[in-house]
Amino acid sequence: MKAFSSRPRCGKALMAAGFLVLLLAFFLLRIHIVGTDWRLYRKLQIRYGVQEENLEALDQALSEYLKGDETALLSTNAFGAKELLHMQDVFALFVLLRQVTAALFAAAAILLGAGIGLHGPGRLRACEASAKLGSLLLLLVMGVLGIWAWRDFTGLFHAFHRLLFRNELWLLNPQTDLLIRICPEGMFLDMLARILGDTLLFAVCLPLPFAIPEKILRRMSHELRNQNARQG
């Protein structure tokens, strides 16, 4: 009897974990989409006054490279040896990003399926509550990142580079390295703001598909009870 009564709690915990993993997967997906959008590069470069020859072709080459075309940057003959070595590290990160994103979406599907199956009756209400909990947990993390970026984006930028890269090839010189001139730090701040904003919107909207049907069902049930009472 105890094991049976604990199933809804286990189901709700699995659903909350599933929604949190789903949100993390969406966050990583947005990193990939925003980070490989050459039209966005161009828009931000205009905002920050970047002016270099063949800039659109370079942006397209960067985008294709990060999407998986290992020859895209070499064909431009625009980047030096240090820049190309750094971009090899970035290329590997984007490969890993795609793999992790796919794995997280699969894990989210498994966790949500198991949680819904375990919970039993009241699944919609449980899904709504679990989606809110998962969203809240992610929003707390995003809030910390957002505050850090607002107060000291350069510090955040350097901290993430030191975390993600085992070398200092990312420390480029704008006097000699084209890559840092066409990708100024402000571009990354704007990209981060877009990624966080999109994820925030998704997190806020995530519980709605479960909340709306639940409210409709409650209203229908209430009206049906009132109708039966009047007939009785």
Side-chain angles (χ1 to χ4, degrees), residues 15-27:
M15 282 189 282
F19 282 118
L20 178 59
V21 172
L22 177 63
L23 287 162
L24 287 172
F26 180 84
F27 176 69

Side-chain angles (χ1 to χ4, degrees), residues 50-227:
V50 176
Q51 295 181 346
E52 295 288 342
E53 291 185 11
N54 302 318
L55 193 51
E56 186 170 309
L58 292 173
D59 290 339
Q60 291 178 5
L62 277 171
S63 173
E64 291 304 313
Y65 182 77
L66 294 177
K67 289 177 181 177
D69 182 357
E70 294 185 78
T71 65
L73 290 186
L74 286 173
S75 63
T76 66
N77 294 315
F79 301 103
K82 183 179 180 181
E83 295 164 289
L84 291 173
L85 285 173
H86 171 57
M87 289 307 298
Q88 287 177 12
D89 293 338
V90 179
F91 182 91
L93 280 178
F94 269 74
V95 171
L96 180 61
L97 176 64
R98 288 188 286 272
Q99 293 171 344
V100 172
T101 302
L104 287 177
F105 274 119
I110 293 169
L111 287 167
L112 289 171
I116 291 169
L118 272 176
H119 192 276
R123 291 183 179 93
L124 279 176
R125 186 177 297 178
C127 283
E128 180 190 356
S130 299
K132 287 179 178 177
L133 178 59
S135 297
L136 178 62
L137 292 173
L138 186 71
L139 291 175
L140 289 173
V141 176
M142 286 176 50
V144 172
L145 282 177
I147 292 170
W148 190 357
W150 176 64
R151 291 178 62 88
D152 180 20
F153 180 72
T154 298
L156 175 65
F157 187 73
H158 287 186
F160 269 83
H161 275 73
R162 291 191 178 96
L163 176 67
L164 295 173
F165 300 110
R166 297 180 179 179
N167 52 55
E168 294 188 347
L169 292 171
W170 58 275
L171 293 171
L172 300 173
N173 183 351
Q175 301 299 321
T176 58
D177 299 317
L178 174 65
L179 184 60
I180 196 170
R181 293 200 301 273
I182 66 173
C183 300
E185 187 178 294
M187 275 182 61
F188 294 99
L189 175 58
D190 284 11
M191 288 180 173
L192 177 62
R194 181 174 295 234
I195 292 163
L196 291 178
D198 292 344
T199 308
L200 173 62
L201 180 62
F202 182 67
V204 169
C205 293
L206 187 59
L208 295 182
F210 309 103
I212 294 172
E214 175 68 21
K215 289 178 181 178
I216 293 172
L217 288 173
R218 283 203 300 267
R219 183 178 300 173
M220 290 174 61
S221 176
H222 180 70
E223 290 176 356
L224 184 61
R225 283 197 302 269
N226 287 342
Q227 184 179 354

